[in-house]
Amino acid sequence: MNVSDSEVVARLLSDNGYRKCEHLEDARIIFVNTCSIRENAEKRVMGRLDLFARMKKKDPGLKVGVLGCMATRLREQLLAHPAVDWVVGPDSYRHLPGMLGSSVAAPMEVKLSLTETYADIKPFRGVNHGISAFVTIMRGCNNMCAYCIVPYVRGRERSRDPFSIIEEIRDLLSGGFREVTLLGQNVNSYCWTPDSDRDSCGFEPDQDDKTDHRTPENGQVPVTFAQLLERVAGISPMLRVRYTTSHPKDMQDDVLHAMAGHPNICKHIHLPVQSGSNNMLKKMNRRYTREEYLERIAAIRRILPGCTISSDMISGFCSETEEDHAQTLSLMEEVRFDQAYMFHYSQRPNTLAARHYKDDVPEDVKIRRLNEIIALQNRLSLASNWADVGKVFEVLVEGASKRSNDWFFGRTGTNKVCVFPKADSKVGESVHVRVTSCTAATLKGEIVNENQ
Ligand code: 5AD
Ligand code: SF4
């Protein structure tokens, strides 16, 4: 999300006479786009700001702006830091050009918006085009998971006008991109209607909305995520389509059928479970049970055989017992996730959990449980990768592999990183790769003829 937001900022600035540079030492202005999701993320930013403060001592003309979630959360506290000249929250980037050039503009803009989606801003993705791009389709979140700070720092959920999404993706395709990842905190609640229907989606009609609500060629207005996904996939069979993140309470079969009906929608779903214990899920305000989650997994397996599933897990949430933790491990075994992102609980100020529950699982217990979750996931990821050995996958070539210049890396539709000798393939091409071996993190293979 921050990569995507930084591309919006880069466009706003490059349209106003600023130029992006490659090396920190060459910059006259540095922006740091921040994340508040866990305390560690914030600590790293504070460390970076201390470094910038030292750089400013030697070079007083250097300027520094803090963008993103920490800007919303810490405001004046950040402005008081010796490194910081501007503090700009995620919905205020349009103010940036005016702020940079002016000594009278306020140095801080952090108000959250009910409507800002930057729909009309074409993200700046660098001079040399890439292969895979992020496309933000919605902003904010209305879910209020008890541990999560996102709704407070990124604001209410709002969906971006589908016409601008499709236009942006068409541009990407003609610019040489071959893959898009549609981004939202909870893509399954994507919902957009023309003005007349806005209320039915829970939107307040926006008096200032100047969006061009044309009727698309086929007369259908895409209002749901499944419809948007189908329209994006229909742009071209040359384009691979991914998306993230799904919420188990909102992921309906219509999305799974849309995926099944389009070979160019990658067969991978990121479906964060957070915990396997119903007690924890209730306390986390996730609004599904373990049984309901498993039913969604069964639907994926039924409608999309071969689809990989990844997840997020949190260890040591408030009052988590050994039995709750064991339930997380058993759910992982039951689902056999292909990949996972795993964290120990980090209390965030003002969240539901911080206000209502004690952060009472000792740090060493949180970490020990997290290590157990990681060890199990390593086994599951390795088993998932081993099951692919001998199979042939279509891989989009993304660039040179880190291990050797004679090797490329890319990802399978199932979202597994795959490395293979270049042969005569090129970046941006789709190649067929037979998997010959693997680690828990990577598939290794060789290019084969499509019919081999
Ligand atoms: N502590 C630990 N992990 C968190 N996440 C969100 N908030 C917290 C927190 N306070 C994790 C969740 C989410 C992922 C993006 O970050 O697992 O799915
Ligand atoms: Fe946070 Fe929950 Fe929203 Fe995800 S769905 S961003 S975890 S509040």
Side-chain angles (χ1 to χ4, degrees):
M1 201 58 97
N2 273 359
V3 169
S4 180
D5 275 8
S6 296
E7 292 172 345
V8 166
V9 170
R11 169 64 60 199
L12 285 162
L13 295 179
S14 61
D15 280 356
N16 283 277
Y18 296 89
R19 199 160 38 85
K20 202 171 159 201
C21 57
E22 292 306 316
H23 304 287
L24 188 62
E25 309 76 52
D26 300 333
R28 303 311 304 141
I29 305 179
I30 301 170
F31 290 108
V32 49
N33 200 351
T34 61
C35 172
S36 291
I37 198 137
R38 283 170 290 274
E39 195 183 358
N40 256 344
E42 291 199 344
K43 275 193 184 145
R44 284 177 57 197
V45 170
M46 297 314 286
R48 198 61 75 83
L49 290 180
D50 293 343
L51 166 74
F52 297 157
R54 291 195 294 278
M55 287 169 67
K56 277 179 85 162
K57 265 201 178 142
K58 291 190 209 135
D59 179 4
L62 187 65
K63 301 273 186 196
V64 175
V66 180
L67 311 178
C69 301
M70 283 174 74
T72 323
R73 193 175 92 71
L74 296 169
R75 303 166 183 228
E76 287 83 5
Q77 197 181 318
L78 281 172
L79 212 51
H81 190 285
V84 179
D85 297 282
W86 303 284
V87 174
V88 187
D91 289 342
S92 303
Y93 297 145
R94 287 180 202 270
H95 291 283
L96 265 171
M99 293 168 78
L100 300 193
S102 161
S103 54
V104 288
M108 182 163 79
E109 291 287 349
V110 292
K111 239 173 82 190
L112 293 171
S113 159
L114 294 175
T115 53
E116 178 64 275
T117 59
Y118 300 110
D120 56 318
I121 311 285
K122 190 178 159 199
F124 178 82
R125 296 188 167 94
V127 193
N128 302 319
H129 77 72
I131 299 303
S132 187
F134 292 121
V135 176
T136 298
I137 62 164
M138 59 202 298
R139 300 180 70 83
C141 184
N142 285 353
N143 277 320
M144 299 291 175
C145 299
Y147 50 79
C148 185
I149 201 165
V150 167
Y152 303 88
V153 288
R154 298 187 69 88
R156 305 290 290 171
E157 179 183 288
R158 62 225 103 116
S159 298
R160 177 179 168 191
D161 166 9
F163 302 102
S164 71
I165 296 173
I166 286 160
E167 201 173 291
E168 182 179 330
I169 295 174
R170 285 207 178 111
D171 271 7
L172 286 167
L173 191 65
S174 54
F177 282 84
R178 289 289 167 266
E179 184 179 84
V180 290
T181 303
L182 308 180
L183 286 184
Q185 307 292 349
N186 176 7
V187 291
N188 305 106
S189 62
Y190 177 87
C191 178
W192 184 91
T193 62
D195 284 355
S196 57
D197 293 339
R198 280 211 164 184
D199 283 346
S200 65
C201 260
F203 281 103
E204 291 293 322
D206 173 12
Q207 306 302 328
D208 296 321
D209 188 357
K210 305 268 189 318
T211 317
D212 177 9
H213 294 149
R214 294 154 294 174
T215 307
E217 315 83 89
N218 64 5
Q220 285 245 309
V221 177
V223 294
T224 64
F225 179 62
Q227 287 168 311
L228 178 73
L229 197 54
E230 297 212 65
R231 281 189 61 78
V232 170
I235 292 174
S236 164
M238 298 276 291
L239 180 78
R240 292 216 304 196
V241 184
R242 299 182 184 279
Y243 65 87
T244 196
T245 294
S246 295
H247 196 302
K249 79 176 164 57
D250 296 321
M251 195 200 61
Q252 305 294 330
D253 288 358
D254 58 349
V255 173
L256 305 180
H257 289 300
M259 291 174 74
H262 294 269
N264 59 334
I265 305 180
C266 292
K267 302 299 179 276
H268 162 241
I269 296 179
H270 185 59
L271 198 64
V273 66
Q274 315 298 359
S275 168
S277 147
N278 279 333
N279 290 338
M280 287 296 104
L281 290 172
K282 189 150 197 278
K283 208 159 185 175
M284 288 175 167
N285 197 28
R286 290 290 287 177
R287 294 192 275 163
Y288 53 83
T289 59
R290 174 188 176 102
E291 293 70 29
E292 284 162 344
Y293 184 87
L294 289 172
E295 188 281 322
R296 289 292 75 207
I297 297 293
I300 297 171
R301 304 259 196 252
R302 188 171 64 242
I303 299 169
L304 294 167
C307 181
T308 51
I309 302 172
S310 57
S311 199
D312 293 346
M313 266 74 82
I314 299 176
S315 73
F317 185 61
C318 312
S319 78
E320 186 189 65
T321 61
E322 289 302 327
E323 173 53 27
D324 293 320
H325 170 60
Q327 296 262 319
T328 298
L329 297 174
S330 82
L331 179 123
M332 291 171 67
E333 292 264 22
E334 197 165 338
V335 179
R336 306 191 71 73
F337 292 114
D338 299 278
Q339 292 161 340
Y341 300 92
M342 298 152 285
F343 314 98
H344 59 87
Y345 173 57
S346 156
Q347 189 183 64
R348 307 311 292 133
N350 296 324
T351 53
L352 285 178
R355 283 181 279 135
H356 297 297
Y357 308 129
K358 262 213 192 112
D359 181 12
D360 53 1
V361 177
E363 193 73 2
D364 58 333
V365 175
K366 284 181 184 171
I367 290 172
R368 193 254 304 149
R369 290 179 189 166
L370 175 62
N371 286 337
E372 287 173 15
I373 288 173
I374 292 173
L376 171 55
Q377 185 54 47
N378 279 343
R379 271 204 288 119
L380 295 176
S381 298
L382 186 62
S384 161
N385 285 353
W386 265 114
D388 286 343
V389 172
K391 291 187 195 158
V392 175
F393 290 90
E394 203 171 320
V395 175
L396 179 64
V397 184
E398 289 187 49
S401 140
K402 272 186 222 143
R403 71 170 68 188
S404 155
N405 247 343
D406 301 330
W407 287 55
F408 273 144
F409 86 95
R411 274 175 307 153
T412 62
T414 52
N415 203 35
K416 292 187 178 179
V417 173
C418 186
V419 296
F420 48 92
K422 284 179 174 173
D424 49 9
S425 62
K426 292 189 187 59
V427 171
E429 273 176 7
S430 261
V431 293
H432 288 84
V433 174
R434 170 170 294 122
V435 180
T436 51
S437 65
C438 68
T439 64
T442 316
L443 302 177
K444 203 166 148 187
E446 60 200 14
I447 297 182
V448 293
N449 184 304
E450 196 169 335
N451 305 316
Q452 264 179 293

